[in-house]
Every structure is written in structure tokens, then in C-alpha cells.
Amino acid sequence: FEGLPRVEMTEDTPLIDSLVSLKAASSKREARDFINGGGVLVNGEQVKDMNFVITNEHTIGGTHTIIRRGKKNYYVGKK
């Protein structure tokens, strides 16, 4: 995970808010467009649900969540 943009996440964080916090999207509207277009993956799983919330179940090793926007943009959410 070295060198990837990171953001500290609370217990349950909406995906749209995470994308804006990580600067993967410039606004919530843009984040919704990315999700609706199928361009967002959480731990390798495509997410198309606008109300998706990242919880402890979506962490790797209980601490990290990998968010991908597009083909080459990776981000790390840390609990």
C-alpha cells in the first residue's frame, strides 16, 4: 500500500463521502457518476449502489479497504 493516497475512515463511511475525501472525485455528484457508471471497485468488487457504506466487513485484515476508481487509480481507506 506504499505511496497510495490514504484517508482515515470512521466506523461506517458512505462510499460517496470516501471518494470525495480521497480526492478520487471532486464532488459528490461526480462520485455518484463514477459509481453509476460502474467505475468504482471496493476490494476488487464492482459497486453500483449509491447508498453503499464501507463497514468493518469490507476491510482487509480489519484495517484497510482498497478503493479503485477506473483502471489505474487506487486509494486506501484505513480504519
Side-chain angles (χ1 to χ4, degrees):
F1 305 129
E2 295 273 335
L4 294 178
R6 296 174 182 261
V7 67
E8 292 291 324
M9 296 172 27
T10 58
E11 290 182 21
D12 294 338
T13 307
L15 179 59
I16 290 173
D17 293 341
S18 296
L19 291 171
V20 174
S21 296
L22 287 164
K23 296 187 178 23
S26 60
S27 66
K28 288 185 177 187
R29 185 197 60 77
E30 186 178 44
R32 285 190 291 272
D33 289 344
F34 290 142
I35 294 169
N36 193 33
V40 177
L41 289 85
V42 175
N43 295 332
E45 301 280 328
Q46 186 179 43
V47 176
K48 285 194 166 188
D49 179 9
M50 295 295 170
N51 299 316
F52 186 84
V53 176
I54 299 172
T55 64
N56 285 336
E57 295 174 8
H58 302 109
T59 60
I60 299 171
T63 58
H64 293 86
T65 302
I66 305 299
I67 300 170
R68 188 177 102 189
R69 184 189 57 86
K71 291 185 179 182
K72 298 180 182 179
N73 302 303
Y74 289 86
Y75 306 90
V76 176
K78 185 173 188 269
K79 295 232 179 214

